[in-house]
Amino acid sequence: GAGVSQSPRYKVAKRGQDVALRCDPISGHVSLFWYQQALGQGPEFLTYFQNEAQLDKSGLPSDRFFAERPEGSVSTLKIQRTQQEDSAVYLCASSLAGTGTSGREETQYFGPGTRLLVL
Amino acid sequence: SQELEQSPQSLIVQEGKNLTINCTSSKTLYGLYWYKQKYGEGLIFLMMLQKGGEEKSHEKITAKLDEKKQQSSLHITASQPSHAGIYLCGADPLIQGAQKLVFGQGTRLTINP
């Protein structure tokens, strides 16, 4: 596709429910990122993949958060036993380059986000 | 860890007026990105700056990175309603490779007709 797509766009979950958020990056993009954006704040990094390898998961807030990208393309962010503080917009971004490059290939292109509301 | 502070947090200007948004970093910037976000949408890439003193323009938007690479400004000339939204600066905290971005809190821009 032309850009990064995410689904669902909106998700309402009851506290304790598990959710799965999907990201389809731009075709051919090596790197994939997940960010969490609370209301009125800038996005905060969650995790990063280069192809299928998860190279950095330092931003995941707890072990209830799990991300995968098994074939190096589509990625899923799973949140188990959701809590109210998980309510946020979850943004996915992809970039053409892997590590060690510079310039425009590193530019991250963002999807529209999934707005998660936990009741 | 690197922190970015944007000012002002919100801005209301009359259509046709010029405006400037600032982004200040606690550490040297190795890559500075400007994005625009509309409510309910993702981030739209505007520009990326890497070199001290660099300046880039796209249509009526100009972004600059100072010589010391710790501050960037985004200037809009003759603002239009289409410029309304949230402007975010994001920094690459590493010397090489944009493995993750650290963002400012955003500046909400409103354009009054």
Side-chain angles (χ1 to χ4, degrees):
Chain A
V4 179
S5 61
Q6 293 185 245
S7 61
R9 291 292 312 275
Y10 303 92
K11 177 70 179 177
V12 179
K14 293 183 179 179
R15 190 176 57 178
Q17 186 179 350
D18 297 350
V19 299
L21 313 179
R22 177 187 169 106
C23 172
D24 280 86
I26 294 172
S27 179
H29 276 197
V30 170
S31 298
L32 185 145
F33 305 79
W34 283 98
Y35 292 84
Q36 180 189 60
Q37 186 177 24
L39 190 64
Q41 301 295 318
E44 291 193 355
F45 170 80
L46 293 177
T47 186
Y48 157 67
F49 291 85
Q50 184 173 328
N51 295 309
E52 68 278 3
Q54 189 175 20
L55 299 186
D56 188 343
K57 52 182 181 180
S58 62
L60 295 176
S62 77
D63 58 8
R64 296 186 296 103
F65 286 71
F66 171 77
E68 60 183 3
R69 194 186 184 197
E71 297 179 359
S73 179
V74 171
S75 177
T76 303
L77 176 67
K78 297 178 180 178
I79 308 173
Q80 297 176 322
R81 304 181 304 280
T82 52
Q83 311 276 328
Q84 286 184 325
E85 61 262 29
D86 299 335
S87 296
V89 175
Y90 290 86
L91 295 163
C92 175
S94 69
S95 70
L96 183 60
T99 58
T101 59
S102 62
R104 292 196 65 83
E105 290 183 341
E106 295 178 340
T107 299
Q108 294 181 30
Y109 296 92
F110 283 77
T114 294
R115 187 173 297 273
L116 173 65
L117 177 62
V118 182
L119 302 177
Chain B
S1 62
Q2 186 160 31
E3 293 183 358
L4 297 179
E5 185 166 336
Q6 290 184 234
S7 62
Q9 291 190 7
S10 65
L11 189 57
I12 303 173
V13 300
Q14 200 73 23
E15 182 178 352
K17 296 294 186 183
N18 303 336
L19 62 104
T20 300
I21 298 169
N22 293 303
C23 176
T24 302
S25 173
S26 58
K27 296 184 178 181
T28 301
L29 293 161
Y30 293 103
L32 190 285
Y33 297 77
W34 282 101
Y35 288 89
K36 178 185 174 184
Q37 184 177 33
K38 290 204 168 185
Y39 182 78
E41 299 179 14
L43 280 62
I44 300 169
F45 171 71
L46 296 175
M47 277 170 278
M48 187 264 286
L49 304 165
Q50 281 189 305
K51 301 177 183 177
E54 187 174 11
E55 179 175 323
K56 289 186 177 178
S57 293
H58 176 67
E59 298 180 344
K60 294 185 178 181
I61 301 176
T62 300
K64 301 178 184 180
L65 183 61
D66 74 343
E67 289 288 345
K68 294 183 178 179
K69 296 173 67 174
Q70 283 198 275
Q71 186 166 18
S72 178
S73 61
L74 186 82
H75 185 76
I76 299 177
T77 304
S79 57
Q80 301 170 352
S82 61
H83 289 129
I86 299 170
Y87 289 82
L88 291 153
C89 61
D92 170 5
L94 302 177
I95 295 174
Q96 284 185 335
Q99 293 181 356
K100 58 186 174 186
L101 293 177
V102 173
F103 285 92
Q105 79 276 29
T107 295
R108 182 179 296 273
L109 174 62
T110 302
I111 308 294
N112 283 338

